[in-house]
Amino acid sequence: MFTPQLCVDAVFEEFGIAAVLDPDGAANDVLVLPSQEDQELSFGQTEIIDAGGVFEIRAGDFAGYSAGAILEVAGERRKVKSHRVRDKRRLKVVLSTAPST
């Protein structure tokens, strides 16, 4: 197997968080890596915490999906707003998500 792919797979297996892609249809179990921390804003005494919504997923796991796909992470349903490939070997996809209604 392609050595960089083995490295990416090892990272996902070690640090990945269990998720389900398309829970209402195919229900594919995948591993994701959160790549954006929670955002915390303070307005005087009021604090707002917005859950981070950017995840990395292996390209093979996201193949055939696009914007609009539903990703369930830790019991929370999130809708994929956009996706992009940032690594030059095209092994991972970065998903920008928002809470699904």
Side-chain angles (χ1 to χ4, degrees), residues 17-91:
I17 297 170
V20 179
L21 190 57
D22 190 19
D24 299 325
N28 293 322
D29 293 327
V30 297
L31 295 172
V32 296
L33 296 172
S35 67
Q36 180 182 24
E37 297 178 356
D38 294 345
Q39 296 177 2
E40 298 180 22
L41 303 171
S42 296
F43 298 101
Q45 297 294 327
T46 304
E47 291 187 13
I48 300 171
I49 299 175
D50 182 29
V54 178
F55 299 92
E56 291 183 350
I57 187 170
R58 288 180 272 201
D61 290 342
F62 195 67
Y65 292 95
S66 62
I70 301 296
L71 181 69
E72 189 173 303
V73 181
E76 181 183 5
R77 294 170 64 91
R78 302 193 65 87
K79 185 174 187 177
V80 176
K81 293 295 193 179
S82 66
H83 62 285
R84 63 188 181 284
V85 177
R86 288 197 294 202
D87 71 298
K88 64 182 180 180
R89 297 188 194 280
R90 301 191 174 284
L91 302 175

Side-chain angles (χ1 to χ4, degrees), residues 3-26:
T3 303
Q5 181 68 57
L6 291 172
C7 294
V8 168
D9 288 344
V11 169
F12 274 87
E13 293 300 325
E14 183 69 27
F15 301 109
I17 297 170
V20 179
L21 190 57
D22 190 19
D24 299 325

